[in-house]
Each structure stands twice: as structure tokens, then as C-alpha cells.
Amino acid sequence: MNGEVKNYLLALQQQLCDELQRYEQKVHIITDEWQRPAGGGGITRVLRHGDVFDSAGVNFSHVSGENLPSSATNHRPDLAGRRFEAMGISSVIHPVNPYVPTCHMNVRFFSAFKDNEEPIWWFGGGFDLTPYYPFHEDVLFWHQIAKKACQDFGDAVYPHYKDWADRYFYLPHRQETRGVGGLFFDDLNQQTWGWDFAKCFAFMQSVGSHFWQAYGPLLAKRYQMPYGQREQDFQRYRRGRYVEFNLVYDRGTLFGLQSGGRTESILMSLPPRVSFEYQWQPKPGSQEALLYEHYLKAQNWLA
């Protein structure tokens, strides 16, 4: 089953890289293949400082080890002391234009082993959207595609994983969501919904394959919009929230660092240009204030 999952992930990585490269004429995706001393390795593919993308990366990793790190076992004590194998795709896109949202997608598969016991396996992943100057119709479209990714798996699936994304992509020290959410799921196995391996794998594929269906049209619609220094300054200030979340709360970042992954690949998710300001506040009634007042709060966008 690992071979099936790996083939899908590598094909998804290639598809996303092809989509990204279509927008760039002057810069090309850098490909780094790397090995992890403790077991496994990966392929990092990154596009930097382009006309459309400040940074866009699509990472594949397939690693193994003798013990899962604490980021995995803290909420799953049954995994402690087990050997593991993990593979996944992680993509983070930071566009140049402040009117185009940052976005993130990750899908992954884990197996944990112990002598004389059945392996434990599970899937996880999701995607979320982080706009700086949000458009309501774009947010609705994003969630419509997220719902579409779930619709063949039962009516309860989208609201469950949409709510999980709202809770997961949240900065408690700021009391705000990272963006407008999307989907997040973890520990998906035969006990979650009663699905067998094939259906769990099919759901992971649906999430991964709907990501560009959700993001590509938003990118195409907004990347040529005119903007000025004010919008760029706000984008870089808000990117600081992305840094805070990824370095403090993100499970994938913590797992990668704790498991001895390749640091350059793990921190590919961070924006190349970002600023931090002391006690900055948006002007009342401004476009910037609208983001805080309406969009950085969990809500039912499709109501």
C-alpha cells in the first residue's frame, strides 16, 4: 500500500509544479533530492523570487525511523515506542501580489510498527487559505471546492473537517484565525468513519486533487491586479502571522524538526519577505480593518 500512496504523491507534486511553472517565464523551479541519515529522504521543489510568486514550494518526503517524535505521540500515546514510516506532500505558495492569498496544502500517510503487532496506519492533511485583501466571492468559491472534495464521502465529512481547520489554523495568542480556513484532518483510519484503507486513501487523494481546483482560479483572477506600497506593506506585516503559526503551532513543522528532517525543506513554508511592527493597528473603516473585523473569525461561509 505504501507504493500506491507514494506514486500518487509524486504525481501530485509534478502536477502542482507544472501549474506553478506556467506562470513564470524568468525563473525556474529548483529541485533538490535529499537523504535523511536516520532513514529515508525526499524531493524539495521550490520556485523563488518570480514575477508571480515570491516563494512557491512543493515538497515530497518519505522518511522512516525507530521512534516517532513527541509531536506525533503527545496526542497518540499508543504510538510511543513504535518504528514508523511517513510520506507526504506539502505545498505553500506566497504570491507577489497582495490581492492573491497565500495558501497551503498537505496530504500525508503514516504507518507505525511494533514486533508481533498489526501495523497502525493513518492519513492526514488538508488545505487552507490566508488572504490579505479578501474577496467574499473568492472565500465562498474556496469553501465550495472544499465541500466538493468531501461530497462523495458523506454529508458529515465537510462540516467536521472544516470545523477542525477552524480550530487548528488558529493563533490563540492573537485570538484570530490564520485565514479563512478550509479542511484539516488527521488520524484518518478504519476506525474514524468505518472506511477501509482504499476509501481513506481515496479521501486523501480527493483533498490533494481538489487543492488546485480551489486555488488556481483565484490566482488566475487576481495576480494581475494593480497594487501599491500600502498593500505590499500590509501583506508583509500579515505574513508575520504565518511565521508565528508555522514556528509555534504547526504539527508538520514540529514533526519535521523533531524527526531530524531537512531544515531547509521544512522552513520552505516561510515567506521570503516579511515584517514585524510594534502595536500596529488598521485604520477604522479601511480595507485592512475589514480583514480583522469579518474574515479572521471562524464562521459558516456556505450558510
Side-chain angles (χ1 to χ4, degrees), residues 127 140-151 158 162 182-183 203 207 210 214 302:
F127 51 67
L140 293 184
F141 178 78
W142 177 261
H143 279 277
Q144 286 165 353
I145 301 301
K147 185 175 182 179
K148 182 183 173 186
C150 302
Q151 68 185 12
Y158 166 73
K162 184 267 181 193
L183 299 172
F203 179 74
V207 172
H210 278 85
L302 301 182

Side-chain angles (χ1 to χ4, degrees), residues 15-86:
Q15 178 213 337
L16 294 177
C17 287
D18 290 344
E19 295 286 1
L20 294 170
Q21 190 65 74
R22 285 196 307 113
Y23 283 90
E24 296 290 356
Q25 303 300 318
K26 298 177 183 176
V27 298
H28 295 280
I29 291 172
I30 300 167
T31 299
D32 283 330
E33 295 191 32
W34 52 273
Q35 297 296 317
R36 177 173 168 271
I43 305 170
T44 296
R45 305 188 70 183
V46 179
L47 194 157
R48 302 275 285 183
H49 306 306
D51 292 329
V52 177
F53 304 112
D54 236 358
S55 175
V58 191
N59 288 348
F60 167 77
S61 62
H62 182 190
V63 300
S64 59
E66 292 301 311
N67 288 286
L68 280 158
S70 59
S71 57
T73 59
N74 281 344
H75 73 291
R76 290 281 303 274
D78 57 314
L79 300 177
R82 287 179 176 264
R83 304 186 305 279
F84 75 92
E85 187 172 351

Side-chain angles (χ1 to χ4, degrees), residues 47 97 229:
L47 194 157
N97 193 313
Q229 190 64 47

Side-chain angles (χ1 to χ4, degrees), residues 9 51 150 155 175 190 244-245 248-249 265-266 279 285 303:
L9 294 173
D51 292 329
C150 302
D155 292 341
Q175 296 186 321
Q190 64 270 47
E244 291 176 23
F245 181 88
V248 178
Y249 299 111
S265 300
I266 297 163
Q279 290 191 336

Side-chain angles (χ1 to χ4, degrees), residues 34-37 44 46 59 247 252-253 255-270:
W34 52 273
Q35 297 296 317
R36 177 173 168 271
T44 296
V46 179
N59 288 348
L247 295 184
T253 303
F255 176 86
L257 296 175
Q258 291 173 0
S259 62
R262 184 174 184 257
T263 302
E264 287 295 308
S265 300
I266 297 163
L267 298 183
M268 171 277 301
S269 64
L270 301 182

Side-chain angles (χ1 to χ4, degrees), residues 41-207:
I43 305 170
T44 296
R45 305 188 70 183
V46 179
L47 194 157
R48 302 275 285 183
H49 306 306
D51 292 329
V52 177
F53 304 112
D54 236 358
S55 175
V58 191
N59 288 348
F60 167 77
S61 62
H62 182 190
V63 300
S64 59
E66 292 301 311
N67 288 286
L68 280 158
S70 59
S71 57
T73 59
N74 281 344
H75 73 291
R76 290 281 303 274
D78 57 314
L79 300 177
R82 287 179 176 264
R83 304 186 305 279
F84 75 92
E85 187 172 351
M87 64 182 77
I89 286 284
S90 178
S91 179
V92 177
I93 300 170
H94 293 289
V96 171
N97 193 313
Y99 288 106
V100 184
T102 284
C103 68
H104 153 264
M105 184 277 295
N106 168 264
V107 285
R108 55 191 179 273
F109 175 61
F110 280 77
S111 325
F113 311 93
K114 204 170 189 177
D115 292 342
N116 303 316
E117 293 187 21
E118 284 291 312
I120 297 173
W121 56 265
W122 70 98
F123 292 92
F127 51 67
D128 72 296
L129 193 71
T130 306
Y132 307 103
Y133 290 93
F135 297 87
H136 192 69
E137 65 268 28
D138 293 358
V139 177
L140 293 184
F141 178 78
W142 177 261
H143 279 277
Q144 286 165 353
I145 301 301
K147 185 175 182 179
K148 182 183 173 186
C150 302
Q151 68 185 12
D152 290 340
F153 299 87
D155 292 341
V157 175
Y158 166 73
H160 182 71
Y161 290 142
K162 184 267 181 193
D163 179 66
W164 200 344
D166 289 337
R167 289 182 281 112
Y168 179 73
F169 296 110
Y170 182 76
L171 288 84
H173 63 285
R174 298 287 190 181
Q175 296 186 321
E176 63 187 42
T177 57
R178 185 166 84 170
V180 296
L183 299 172
F184 181 84
F185 68 101
D186 205 359
D187 302 318
L188 173 63
N189 58 26
Q190 64 270 47
Q191 297 174 343
T192 309
W193 300 97
W195 302 343
D196 61 9
F197 172 85
K199 192 165 184 178
C200 292
F201 180 29
F203 179 74
M204 186 203 79
Q205 292 177 80
S206 186
V207 172

